Amino acid sequence: MNVKASEVIKFWFEELTPKQWFVSSEELDTRIYKRFGVIHDAATKGELDYWRATPEGSLAEIIVLDQFSRNIYREKPEAFANDLAALILAQEAIRKGFHNKLKTFKRSFFYMPFMHSESLVIHKTALRLFNEPGMEDYFEYEIKHKEIIERFGRFPHRNQILGRDSTAEEIEFLSQPGSSF
């Protein structure tokens, strides 16, 4: 495999703008798939464990599993299939103190798998992680994510994609502006 962790980091933080990270774009989704699809496949099989020796390598694997999955498989169940793996990798990287070795704008992506979790326990940790100087915007989004988990025990906007039945309360919630992320 010829893609290095540094290529993922360079792509995500230098070639893309922060706006591109969170806006749906078929062009970007295709670009990520074409450039990193093989790496994504390797990551889903646990074949990038050697990346975990460094903070940036760990972050690259987390971005591949957490963020690239959402781009490559947008509106498909596979978009969320690697959330648990990304969360476990993030927990381990944080235990090693890797997050403290990176600048805030990169560090936030160590924390994203916590925000994407449908576990209230994990969101309690996410609140603590995102409550640092320089992460005020992310902290506000984490509060919103946690409130949805407190209310529904899951993210209703994933229900249709994951083949889950929505409750009447979830359907009403989803009809409100800003209910989906």
Side-chain angles (χ1 to χ4, degrees):
M1 200 163 328
N2 56 7
V3 177
K4 297 179 180 167
S6 60
E7 292 179 53
V8 171
I9 297 297
K10 183 178 186 290
F11 172 77
W12 194 252
F13 294 106
E14 295 175 27
E15 294 179 34
L16 299 183
T17 65
K19 182 180 178 185
Q20 289 175 296
W21 295 336
F22 304 113
V23 174
S24 177
S25 162
E26 190 174 323
E27 181 274 326
L28 179 59
D29 295 349
T30 300
R31 189 169 148 205
I32 289 172
Y33 174 73
K34 286 181 177 177
R35 186 161 169 192
F36 298 104
V38 171
I39 280 297
H40 182 269
D41 186 54
T44 65
K45 295 175 183 171
E47 295 173 355
L48 302 179
D49 61 312
Y50 59 97
W51 283 12
R52 298 175 207 155
T54 66
E56 288 215 335
S58 291
L59 180 59
E61 188 175 14
I62 290 164
I63 288 170
V64 168
L65 290 170
D66 186 62
Q67 299 297 316
F68 288 5
S69 292
R70 283 166 165 71
N71 290 96
I72 292 170
Y73 295 109
R74 189 175 306 280
E75 301 299 321
K76 297 179 183 160
E78 294 89 347
F80 312 110
N82 297 299
D83 283 6
L84 181 57
L87 175 63
I88 291 168
L89 291 173
Q91 289 168 328
E92 286 305 309
I94 290 167
R95 274 190 196 74
K96 293 177 186 176
F98 283 180
H99 62 303
N100 292 322
K101 296 180 173 146
L102 298 174
K103 295 185 184 220
T104 303
F105 73 98
K106 287 184 178 179
R107 186 180 317 147
S108 63
F109 284 92
F110 269 123
Y111 303 163
M112 286 296 168
F114 291 83
M115 187 183 290
H116 293 151
S117 174
E118 290 188 315
S119 164
L120 188 55
V121 171
I122 298 301
H123 279 276
K124 289 177 182 175
T125 302
L127 280 176
R128 181 179 49 78
L129 293 170
F130 281 109
N131 192 18
E132 338 181 325
M135 289 205 199
E136 292 79 10
D137 289 342
Y138 292 114
F139 183 68
E140 292 302 317
Y141 276 106
E142 171 49 32
I143 289 170
K144 291 176 184 178
H145 281 73
K146 180 180 173 281
E147 287 172 350
I148 292 170
I149 296 301
E150 285 175 328
R151 183 171 172 188
F152 301 108
R154 61 188 185 175
F155 293 118
H157 65 276
R158 295 182 185 176
N159 289 352
Q160 184 175 358
I161 295 167
L162 295 175
R164 303 187 301 208
D165 292 329
S166 293
T167 66
E169 185 181 6
E170 288 173 330
I171 292 167
E172 171 61 26
F173 171 75
L174 290 171
S175 72
Q176 305 302 313
S179 62
S180 296
F181 297 101

